[in-house]
Amino acid sequence: MQTRRLGSAGPQVSEVGLGCNNFGMKLDQRQSIAVVHAALDAGITHFDTAEMYGHGQSEVFLGKALGARRESVVVATKFMDRPEGETYRPGILRKRILEGCDISLGRLGTDYIDLYYQHHPDPAAPVEESLEALMQLQQSGKVRHIACSNFDRALVDRAVTVARRLGFPGFVADQIHWNLLAREVEAETVPALRSRGLGIVPYFPLEAGLLTGKYLEGAEWPEDSRLVVLSGRFAKLATKQNFARVRELDAFAGAAGHSLLELAFGWLLSQDGVASVIAGATTPEQVLANVQAGAAWRLSPEEMAAVPAG
């Protein structure tokens, strides 16, 4: 497994990271530990969780699974948003961040977090408030690097400007929804991240499994599939247009001697600025398949230009 630096100031992370969003939801502790151990054995050093995943169980399971190997990996987690409906008052987001960090540290069973994310932008709170709280956590040693998730170009630009005024590095990366079927971020967000020196961490690289090729248009999906289990959010992706795009992408990959899965990972990892692709897994076999796909193909500039855009 190759590693890359996360942006211009972040840690070294494995090119494929393990998304731990299934822990505590689809997977119990035993199953989660098996997935983490498979990831470690395959060379993954980047583990991504969040305070909200599995109602907190994801962090607990990840901490137990890493055990003595915790020092050799990068643990990323994300603090929860302010409660829905809570009226913003100055200082309330800062309190949420500081409390969330201590909660995550306790669940993970560690005294520091390698990479601490703002999971979503707060539409009411100024970015100064979150950055000042995160700077305090860095200065205390509880957090080593900070990052954002789901920030667009305007928010990234604002965060960089504020961090410079405060006199500290600020966010080292932005975790964004980006894959062969979801390319909206390419218009403004991705160029902004590149120009600002922030690392890019794509999540949902397989778009709920559509880019694995295992779902066929018109067929019944497996009862435990992501599209069924999370049908309210993901089943809307199973459109005629998306299935047509998947067939086109699969044909492109096949003509080059690769699988659709290899194209999904390889296309992202061939993008400037992408440090690590976050992929969830529910079995050790799935972890290995993702790692192998991530290592299989780096597209040439000519191949990148020829990838069907839909």
Side-chain angles (χ1 to χ4, degrees):
M1 172 75 70
Q2 298 295 311
T3 64
R4 300 181 180 183
R5 182 163 298 283
L6 187 56
S8 58
Q12 289 286 130
V13 289
S14 53
E15 290 182 334
V16 175
L18 180 67
C20 302
N21 52 309
N22 289 309
F23 299 177
M25 293 191 291
K26 291 186 70 174
L27 303 183
D28 60 21
Q29 180 172 307
R30 178 188 60 80
Q31 294 167 322
S32 300
I33 289 174
V35 166
V36 171
H37 287 178
L40 289 166
D41 292 345
I44 288 178
T45 62
H46 184 199
F47 293 83
D48 183 85
T49 184
E51 188 183 357
M52 66 177 289
Y53 293 167
H55 303 289
Q57 288 302 296
S58 175
E59 291 179 323
V60 173
F61 293 173
L62 176 60
K64 290 182 181 298
L66 291 174
R69 300 170 78 174
R70 188 266 173 273
E71 297 292 326
S72 64
V73 303
V74 171
V75 172
T77 193
K78 314 173 192 74
F79 63 84
M80 289 177 64
D81 304 339
R82 291 185 297 111
E84 187 175 353
E86 181 182 62
T87 302
Y88 172 74
R89 302 183 305 278
I92 198 167
L93 178 59
R94 176 182 178 277
K95 181 174 182 288
R96 169 83 279 279
I97 293 170
L98 299 180
E99 288 178 348
C101 182
D102 286 338
I103 290 169
S104 291
L105 287 169
R107 288 173 177 164
L108 288 162
T110 185
D111 57 5
Y112 69 94
I113 295 165
D114 296 282
L115 186 60
Y116 198 41
Y117 281 95
Q118 180 164 357
H119 205 156
H120 299 97
D122 190 313
V127 71
E128 285 88 344
E129 186 169 328
S130 57
L131 284 171
E132 287 171 357
L134 291 165
M135 181 170 65
Q136 178 181 334
L137 291 173
Q138 278 190 295
Q139 292 171 341
S140 71
K142 292 181 179 181
V143 169
R144 294 191 171 174
H145 304 278
I146 64 169
C148 56
S149 179
N150 303 300
F151 273 43
D152 62 14
R153 178 198 59 77
L155 285 169
V156 167
D157 286 345
R158 176 66 179 159
V160 170
T161 300
V162 170
R164 286 175 178 168
R165 190 176 75 238
L166 293 173
F168 84 117
F171 296 137
V172 300
D174 190 4
Q175 190 170 137
I176 57 176
H177 181 198
W178 190 18
N179 59 56
L180 285 161
L181 297 177
R183 301 183 58 171
E184 296 83 1
V185 291
E186 293 174 28
E188 294 187 353
T189 303
V190 169
L193 295 172
R194 288 170 175 161
S195 67
R196 294 295 196 171
L198 272 68
I200 303 171
V201 182
Y203 67 84
F204 292 160
L206 305 179
E207 197 67 339
L210 282 178
L211 290 168
T212 65
K214 68 182 180 181
Y215 297 111
L216 301 176
E217 186 175 9
E220 288 192 13
W221 303 322
E223 289 186 2
D224 63 345
S225 72
R226 195 175 183 89
L227 284 169
V228 171
V229 174
L230 301 174
S231 58
R233 181 176 179 183
F234 291 100
K236 63 181 181 181
L237 298 170
T239 64
K240 288 185 177 295
Q241 181 183 17
N242 274 344
F243 277 119
R245 291 176 67 187
V246 167
R247 288 193 296 271
E248 192 175 8
L249 291 164
D250 191 30
F252 174 84
H258 290 278
S259 68
L260 179 60
L261 187 67
E262 290 169 347
L263 174 61
F265 279 98
W267 180 78
L268 285 169
L269 288 167
S270 298
Q271 299 279 356
D272 290 342
V274 170
S276 184
V277 176
I278 299 298
T282 55
T283 66
E285 293 76 19
Q286 207 170 58
V287 172
L288 185 58
N290 290 342
V291 168
Q292 290 174 339
W297 194 7
R298 293 296 173 269
L299 283 70
S300 67
E302 295 75 20
E303 288 173 322
M304 290 292 283
V307 172

